[in-house]
Amino acid sequence: MKKNLFIVLEGLSGVGKSTVGQALAKKIGAAYLQTPMDEFSVIRRIADTSSLTTRFFYYLASVCHASEHIKLALHQSTVIVDRYIGSTRS
């Protein structure tokens, strides 16, 4: 049984993670996800202008939510994620 890969791209904003991730996903037939996922965009502005603790828990919750999608997607294909827990911890 082939094991699908879980590939995470971490880095500063604007360095090309999304561009590289999308191109790589297309080339190898992988699923591509970004965190925070769209469901979290509604409150992102509030979190980003709040305390460090609030931002930390917002991004942590978004990674936990993405993890559920990642688990399901890995049954089908390799998954490439633009930012994951490393960005949250930083």
Side-chain angles (χ1 to χ4, degrees), residues 5-9 16-32 78-81:
L5 300 175
F6 175 45
I7 301 169
V8 177
L9 303 174
K17 295 177 305 300
S18 299
T19 303
V20 170
Q22 290 170 2
L24 180 59
K26 184 176 180 180
K27 183 164 184 81
I28 67 173
Y32 173 78
T78 289
V79 177
I80 299 170
V81 179

Side-chain angles (χ1 to χ4, degrees), residues 43-86:
I43 59 170
R44 184 173 185 168
R45 186 176 49 96
I46 296 167
D48 284 345
T49 57
S50 297
S51 70
L52 183 60
T53 302
T54 300
R55 286 194 306 266
F56 172 77
F57 283 110
Y58 166 79
Y59 286 103
L60 181 61
S62 75
V63 167
C64 291
H65 175 71
S67 293
E68 297 302 317
H69 291 269
I70 292 163
K71 285 178 198 173
L72 294 174
L74 280 170
H75 291 290
Q76 305 297 317
S77 69
T78 289
V79 177
I80 299 170
V81 179
D82 180 341
R83 293 195 172 163
Y84 196 58
I85 194 69

Side-chain angles (χ1 to χ4, degrees), residues 9-43:
L9 303 174
E10 295 280 4
L12 299 173
S13 295
V15 297
K17 295 177 305 300
S18 299
T19 303
V20 170
Q22 290 170 2
L24 180 59
K26 184 176 180 180
K27 183 164 184 81
I28 67 173
Y32 173 78
L33 298 171
Q34 276 186 292
T35 63
M37 295 179 74
D38 290 340
E39 298 90 329
F40 280 75
S41 64
V42 180
I43 59 170

